[in-house]
Amino acid sequence: MSWTERDIPDLTGRTAVVTGANGGLGLQTALALAGAGAHVVMASRDPEKSAAAEVRLRASHPSASVEVVPLDLGDLSSVAAAARSVLARHERVDLLVNNAGVMAMPQRTTADGFEMQFGVNHLGHWALTAHLLPALLRAPAARVVTVTSTARHRARRLDPADVHLERGYGAWSAYARSKMANLHFGLGLQQRFAAAGTRAASLVAHPGLTNTDLQARAVREGGAGWVGAFFEVMTARSGMSPFEGVRPHLRAATDPRARGGELYAPRYGSHGPAVPRPILRRRGLQEQIDVLWQVSERETGIPLDVAIAGTSP
């Protein structure tokens, strides 16, 4: 039988941090985890949407344990503040779902001068994960789930000399590159967890074609062109609901049989039950992971060292 949210084990006593939890797949993730008993930290940028999302979650699960933490992934100072808030309240973090993201934006930069899609989708999550590493490693068997997309298959390799696409920007190519970074980050983090001998695990998920506000927002922002308009119509007509599309996130985060380094996605690419899928494009994969690590540390100034984080008090 297909895996569903009904297969999530009891999460009582566990703390889960979900980015972008004020809507779409992030909210569905928060709803499911809270329903299974986890304390959910909803980390989101828009205060009004976050408040409305919290109301919806509490209405669905009146006994839920939940808190809202402001998080703007496009501002490293906001990321650091969010992490400090989580660490001040929680000795350990059992689940981190790096879900939030933007798609096909017009050319813009973050507060720190990063190309917006790479900055929000990858570098912001890099920084958050690095800040939360001590709490993740204090959990008995933490999981970090990073969300990618099939758009990664159209990505060019990351160029360390032009990280922020100053030599040529394309909204969709920048999105694809950020989603490839998400995959490489998830795999690289698992390598480092394993090398340090921890029980923590890093997995990757992609939701397939799911009807959320992501497509509509891309069109509203004006960078997606006719491709964005096409996908908005197609997703509205044939996309899975967020309730269905979030299952790869949830299975990667909670299935006791899931293992670090796995990718969970719909069985048929864009649709279908959540299943483990093979990692493709392995040629040069290790080199690309290593380049991503070097670039991410250089740009953010934040190292992500599992061995050192494991010794933090």
Side-chain angles (χ1 to χ4, degrees):
M1 295 180 64
S2 298
W3 189 96
T4 73
E5 58 287 339
R6 291 186 295 274
D7 295 303
I8 298 175
D10 181 18
L11 300 179
T12 301
R14 299 189 188 183
T15 296
V17 177
V18 182
T19 70
N22 59 7
L25 295 173
L27 176 55
Q28 289 296 326
T29 302
L31 283 164
L33 297 180
H39 174 81
V40 177
V41 180
M42 304 174 73
S44 309
R45 184 176 63 87
D46 187 312
E48 292 185 5
K49 287 183 65 177
S50 296
E54 183 182 7
V55 168
R56 178 176 169 185
L57 190 152
R58 292 187 183 281
S60 298
H61 305 294
S63 62
S65 179
V66 59
E67 66 185 278
V68 174
V69 170
L71 170 68
D72 182 352
L73 290 163
D75 184 342
L76 291 183
S77 65
S78 172
V79 175
R84 285 195 299 271
S85 177
V86 173
L87 294 172
R89 300 175 186 176
H90 305 284
E91 181 180 1
R92 77 184 205 201
V93 171
D94 300 273
L95 297 173
L96 171 59
V97 183
N98 290 324
N99 160 81
V102 293
M103 183 174 76
M105 304 281 288
Q107 189 169 15
R108 295 175 185 165
T109 57
T110 68
D112 304 285
F114 307 144
E115 184 275 309
M116 182 66 76
Q117 298 189 75
F118 190 71
V120 170
N121 296 354
H122 169 62
L123 291 176
H125 282 123
W126 165 281
L128 181 65
T129 305
H131 289 314
L132 293 180
L133 262 184
L136 287 162
L137 296 176
R138 281 194 289 269
R143 287 195 191 179
V144 178
V145 177
T146 302
V147 178
T148 185
S149 162
T150 53
R152 70 186 185 277
H153 295 306
R154 301 190 295 274
R156 296 179 179 177
R157 291 193 174 200
L158 177 64
D159 180 0
D162 188 23
V163 174
H164 304 299
L165 301 179
E166 296 168 351
R167 299 176 188 169
Y169 178 83
W172 284 106
S173 59
Y175 177 67
R177 189 187 65 151
S178 74
K179 292 288 103 180
M180 180 174 67
N182 291 149
L183 173 70
H184 292 165
F185 174 67
L187 298 179
L189 183 60
Q190 173 58 29
Q191 291 177 349
R192 284 152 178 82
F193 281 154
T198 75
R199 293 190 62 198
S202 171
L203 298 93
V204 186
H206 89 71
L209 190 65
T210 302
N211 187 19
T212 68
D213 187 54
L214 187 64
Q215 291 81 11
R217 181 182 176 188
V219 173
R220 292 196 304 269
E221 293 284 350
W226 69 266
V227 176
F230 170 78
F231 274 111
E232 182 182 18
V233 172
M234 185 172 71
T235 333
R237 290 180 176 176
S238 61
M240 293 185 292
S241 69
F243 182 75
E244 298 169 303
V246 79
R247 286 171 180 164
H249 292 49
L250 296 173
R251 187 168 187 184
T254 68
D255 188 342
R257 295 167 296 179
R259 295 293 178 262
E262 289 184 327
L263 165 67
Y264 280 82
R267 182 186 299 277
Y268 307 113
S270 295
H271 296 79
V275 296
R277 300 289 295 165
I279 306 294
L280 304 177
R281 295 180 63 178
R282 286 188 173 273
R283 184 177 182 181
L285 178 61
Q286 189 59 54
E287 177 188 357
Q288 293 180 76
I289 291 172
D290 293 342
V291 167
L292 180 69
W293 239 254
Q294 295 163 9
V295 165
S296 302
E297 290 191 348
R298 183 189 75 194
E299 295 299 313
T300 64
I302 302 170
L304 202 160
D305 191 314
V306 174
I308 292 176
T311 64
S312 298

